[in-house]
Amino acid sequence: MEKGLLSYSPKVLLALQFSIGGNIKFFQWLTEAGYPELAAFSNFLQDDIEAEQWLVQNNYHWLGIMSHAIDGDPRSRLWLKSNYHLANTMFVLACRKDDKAISWLKFMKLDILMNLANEVAELRNKQELDASYPYKMRF
């Protein structure tokens, strides 16, 4: 079973967290330090379709699937659960504020995944708020 996010060091995952939060310096660091897949994942979480295409073309489809799982796609969640370490599924569920997943991450002392999930949840919340305001509608 693949480790997924657990295959990265906490330092790299912390950079991902800040990149998702919109810090361009950490996004650039990810690309320059040899983690362009995480930079693309960060962009795809912000609805960049080109980032998804890059992930697929460069054999990082699992990160695209993870983003779809965060969005609630049941097939993506099932695939992730079947092919990757349980921590990745719990991370996805924690991004959606699932209490059991949050408790599991805390119990397993996976604080970095918990912090990353909180950042993704905050991003998703902002996206949902933006979508609810009519003056922000995209045509």
Side-chain angles (χ1 to χ4, degrees), residues 106-119:
K106 287 179 181 177
F107 178 77
M108 298 301 289
K109 297 184 180 4
L110 293 171
D111 296 337
I112 189 65
L113 290 185
M114 190 64 242
N115 293 339
L116 190 56
N118 285 335
E119 192 67 48

Side-chain angles (χ1 to χ4, degrees), residues 61-62 65 74-84:
H61 62 281
W62 67 274
I65 290 170
R75 292 184 320 167
S76 297
R77 287 183 180 180
L78 182 61
W79 184 90
L80 194 62
K81 186 176 180 181
S82 299
N83 294 284
Y84 279 81

Side-chain angles (χ1 to χ4, degrees), residues 53-89:
Q53 293 168 351
W54 186 95
L55 289 168
V56 171
Q57 291 169 356
N58 290 278
N59 296 317
Y60 292 103
H61 62 281
W62 67 274
L63 285 167
I65 290 170
M66 185 173 284
S67 180
H68 288 294
I70 291 168
D71 287 340
D73 179 57
R75 292 184 320 167
S76 297
R77 287 183 180 180
L78 182 61
W79 184 90
L80 194 62
K81 186 176 180 181
S82 299
N83 294 284
Y84 279 81
H85 190 281
L86 180 59
N88 294 281
T89 301

Side-chain angles (χ1 to χ4, degrees), residues 102-137:
I102 292 168
S103 294
W104 188 89
L105 289 173
K106 287 179 181 177
F107 178 77
M108 298 301 289
K109 297 184 180 4
L110 293 171
D111 296 337
I112 189 65
L113 290 185
M114 190 64 242
N115 293 339
L116 190 56
N118 285 335
E119 192 67 48
V120 173
E122 187 174 315
L123 171 67
R124 290 291 185 224
N125 189 44
K126 287 177 188 175
Q127 290 171 333
E128 289 172 10
L129 286 173
D130 282 351
S132 70
Y133 292 115
Y135 64 86
K136 293 232 179 183
M137 288 177 60

